[in-house]
Structure formats: C-alpha cells, structure tokens
Amino acid sequence: MGSSFFTPLSWNDSGFILTGVLNTVTISLVAIIIGTLLGLAIGFIRAEVSRFSNMLLGGVLDVLRSVPLIIQLILFSTYIGAIGHPLDPFVSGSIVLSLYTMAFMSEVFRGGFESVQRSMITAGRSLGMSYWQTVAYIRLPIGLRTVFPSWLGVALSVIKDSALVSVIGYMELLRTSEQLISRTQQPLEILIGVGLFYFIISYPLSLYGKYVERKMSI
Amino acid sequence: MEYEFHWNIVFQKMPQLLNGAFVTLHVSVLSMLIGIAIAVLLAIAKMSDYKLFSLPATLWVEIARNTPALFQIYMAYFGLGAFGIHLSPYVAVLSALVFVNAGYLTETFRGGFMSIPRTQYSASRSLGMNSVQVYRYIILPQMFRRIYHPMTNQFVWSILMSSLGILVGMDELSGETQRLQSLSFRTLEFFMVAAVMYFLITKLVLFSASLVSQKLFKGDL
C-alpha cells in the first residue's frame, strides 16, 4: 500500500479538529442570533405594513432564499475583495449566513405575528394599552409561542448550512476534516466522525422540536 | 477602488452556462424521481410493525435530516473511495441528493398518509370498496394534495443544493461558472449571472408547480 507516504490520523490532530468544531459552533451561533433578531424585526414589519411595501421587502428576501448559499458566499467575498475591503472569512461568512438565516426566520416570525387575532389587539387598545404595550404584552408572547418548532427547524438547518462557509476559507469542521483527509488519506474514518458530530447536535434538538410540536398541538 | 464590470466575456460563454443550468435541472429532476421512489418504500417500511424494516428506514431518515448535504456529498465522493467505489462527480452529487431527498420525502409521505383518518378507510370498505379501490379513490388522492406542496419545496431545495457540485468539480451551473471564471478571472460577473439563473430556474419551477396544482386541484376548498 502506498499509504506509508501519508501520516495517519493521530491524537495530535485532536486540537485541529476541536478548532474546527468550535468554529462551526461559533459561526452557527452568530448567524442564529443575528438572523433571529433581524428576522424578528422584519417578520414584525412584514406582518404590519401595507401590501405594497410588503411585496418589495418580500422580493429582497425571496432572492436570499432562491439563490444557493454557496453562490451568495462566493459573490459577497469576491465583491468585498474587488472593491478593496477584503474581510476576514469569519466576518464575511457571518454576514452572509446571518442574512440567509434572516430570510428564513422572518417568514417564521411573520407567520407567528399574523396568527395573533386582530380582535385581541383591538381589545388591548381599548383597555388603554399603547401600541407598544400591545406588542410587548400581546403580540410577542402569543405570536412567539407557536413558532418555536419552526424556529428550531431553521436554526438546525443553519448549523448544517454553516458547513458551506468553508468555500470562502473559514476553517470550520468540514474544511478541517477535508485538510486532514488530504494529509491522512483516511476519508471514511474522518467523515464518519464529522457526520456523527453534526448528528449528535442536530438529532436531540430535532426530537425536542417534535416533542414540543406534539405537545402544543393537543 | 472601483471595480469595472466586463460583461462581454460572460455573454460569449452563455451557451456553456445554459448547458450547466441544464445539468443542474437534470440532476435535480433525477434526484427527485429516484428519491420519491425510495421514499415510498421507506415510508412503508417506517410504518411497519417489524423492527427489521422500520429501524433501517428510521436510521436513513434521521441521518439524511440531521447531517449537512455537503457532508453527504463528501461521503459519496471521498468516503466511498475506502470501499473501492469511485463515483464521478455527477453520480456522487446525484446519490447524495437522492439520499437526502428520500430521507425528507419519507417524512412527508408518512405525515401525509397519517393525516388521513383511518375511519375513512373503514367507511369506504363498508360502502363496498375493496382495499385497492379505497387507496386509489379515497386515500391517495387526498394524500397527494397534502404532499404536493412539500414535494415542490423539496425539488427547489434539490436545485439549490446541487450547487454544491462546485466542490467536487461537477459540470452543473455552479461548477461550470467556477470553471469559466477561472479561465477569464471575471469572477463577480460570472457568479452574478449564475445567481440570476438560479433565481429564474427556481421561480420557473415554482410557477409551473402552481399552474399544475391549479389544474390538478381544481374545485378544492
């Protein structure tokens, strides 16, 4: 076997893999947090404004959802480089992934806000609540309650999609594993490890999401 | 610094890009068709009372749903090499997409099937229909309506995810764009055109799907 030309996988690589794991977790968390906040704001606006402005806003979000993430990442980092302000892969990756997350989150929250009956808000107003009080005490608590399973679904897909940030050079888990593969030539062991990592994060959370959904439907 | 756009070269390469778009559609349609066929079997297996059938089906579904698509493509392209199976980029991307599609669609089909009350089955049987008739006229038509929309979404997802072919050197739209831009260094222009093409393909698919659904489900509530 020619495999003696390559150094096999050893414990010394664990630090390298751990960096990849941490980077994946970091960029996913950043994108989920920023994407949720932006999505919450935009979802609220979309449930609130007129049909026309809604269409404009919806069009922009639609582009974010209809162009593959990988193309968005390449376009953004190339554009930033071409106008002379190259950014760190982590920063450009976070920006693109957050906006991408936002596009999906805003739909989730919009649905939540629209599920709050108009009459409840009218009732709140007639009881002397201000506009923002109806938001804080009626729309947010009632609107957000039902969207948790869908929110979790989007968040989980962001963790999985964060693997794509590797194309612009961010050393997340899949890219570290790819480099290890090219050195060790042991693709199967490494990839199974990587798959297990994603699975261990994603599977319990998806079960929890299903559990909550079932509990809410009864 | 100001960036100067040069679109000429992109328009000259339009035939190649369109060819790439065709491969994108090709691989996603194929991955859907095979995915649907497998998903039907998996859904039946998953609802089976025998662990021998339900366990592997559950395993397939959960792995497909809980790992990144990129991981599955790497697994097909690099991972299978360990067993001496060397797939071409096209086959690797296709099998990864089939794997994921089958996983997601299994849940869609199962959900659609479970959403139809069992009482309808007994009612139809008591009206004198045989089992095949019940499925043909009562259960499957209703089920199809419920799974139509999720299936369309899955198809769009396949189109978007086939763009990962760029990473294994496939000649679909993204991969072709990557190859063409590396020859001309007009990265921005090429990828912008690719983005527009993806957008148009997606919209076209969604538009035709809604036309078909209007025809199919005419008179529905």
Side-chain angles (χ1 to χ4, degrees), chain A residues 27-119:
Chain A
I27 203 162
S28 311
L29 281 181
V30 167
I32 291 173
I33 292 170
I34 299 179
T36 301
L37 293 176
L38 290 177
L40 191 61
I42 291 187
F44 182 73
I45 294 171
R46 287 201 73 191
E48 199 64 0
V49 295
S50 69
R51 237 186 134 83
F52 179 68
S53 12
N54 216 331
M55 255 167 60
L56 281 178
L57 203 53
V60 177
L61 296 173
D62 202 27
V63 172
L64 287 176
R65 281 193 300 258
S66 311
V67 173
L69 182 58
I70 207 164
I71 304 276
Q72 294 183 33
L73 285 162
I74 294 173
L75 265 181
F76 183 79
S77 72
T78 316
Y79 177 71
I80 285 290
I83 59 167
H85 302 284
L87 288 173
D88 182 65
F90 172 72
V91 180
S92 25
S94 300
I95 292 175
V96 176
L97 201 58
S98 299
L99 289 178
Y100 184 74
T101 312
M102 174 198 78
F104 287 92
M105 288 292 188
S106 65
E107 271 323 271
V108 169
F109 289 123
R110 179 194 178 191
F113 285 123
E114 278 175 352
S115 75
V116 181
Q117 285 169 17
R118 214 63 222 174
S119 55

Side-chain angles (χ1 to χ4, degrees), chain A residues 59 62-63 65-71 74-76 78-79 81-85 100 156 159-161 163-164 166-167 174-175 177-178 181 187-189 191-192 194-196 198-200 202-203 206-207 210, chain B residues 1-3 5 46 58-59 62-71 74-75 78-83 104 107 110 156 159-161 163-164 166-167 174 177-178 187-188 191-192 194-196 198-199 202-203:
Chain A
D62 202 27
V63 172
R65 281 193 300 258
S66 311
V67 173
L69 182 58
I70 207 164
I71 304 276
I74 294 173
L75 265 181
F76 183 79
T78 316
Y79 177 71
I83 59 167
H85 302 284
Y100 184 74
L156 286 179
I159 297 176
K160 287 181 275 168
D161 288 340
L164 301 190
S166 59
V167 285
L174 214 56
R175 192 176 167 86
S177 68
E178 199 195 323
I181 289 171
L188 199 64
E189 295 90 326
L191 281 176
I192 287 177
V194 170
L196 266 179
Y198 283 106
F199 191 82
I200 287 169
S202 179
Y203 184 57
S206 75
L207 281 186
K210 261 186 223 160
Chain B
M1 200 174 92
E2 208 48 44
Y3 185 83
F5 284 97
K46 211 183 161 191
T58 308
L59 202 65
E62 296 305 341
I63 292 178
R65 288 163 62 101
N66 291 302
T67 52
L70 184 54
F71 159 77
Y74 276 2
M75 203 66 188
F78 302 115
L80 290 183
F83 300 111
Y104 277 89
E107 285 301 82
R110 205 174 59 97
V156 169
I159 293 172
L160 296 184
M161 278 304 158
S163 66
L164 298 184
I166 193 176
L167 295 169
S174 299
T177 311
Q178 170 77 2
T187 312
L188 215 45
F191 276 104
M192 278 168 89
V196 171
Y198 272 110
F199 184 79
T202 320
K203 288 294 128 190

Side-chain angles (χ1 to χ4, degrees), chain A residues 168-188:
Chain A
I168 56 170
Y170 184 58
M171 286 301 275
E172 49 68 69
L173 182 57
L174 214 56
R175 192 176 167 86
T176 51
S177 68
E178 199 195 323
Q179 297 205 339
L180 279 181
I181 289 171
S182 57
R183 198 203 74 208
T184 61
Q185 297 296 307
Q186 292 173 287
L188 199 64

Side-chain angles (χ1 to χ4, degrees), chain A residues 4-22:
Chain A
S4 55
F5 288 111
F6 306 104
T7 33
L9 202 60
S10 73
W11 281 109
N12 295 331
D13 298 320
S14 54
F16 188 53
I17 296 172
L18 197 66
T19 322
V21 169
L22 285 178

Side-chain angles (χ1 to χ4, degrees), chain B residues 107-127:
Chain B
E107 285 301 82
T108 308
F109 292 168
R110 205 174 59 97
F113 184 78
M114 307 273 264
S115 73
I116 293 152
R118 293 301 290 166
T119 44
Q120 291 198 10
Y121 183 84
S122 344
S124 320
R125 285 305 296 266
S126 70
L127 286 170

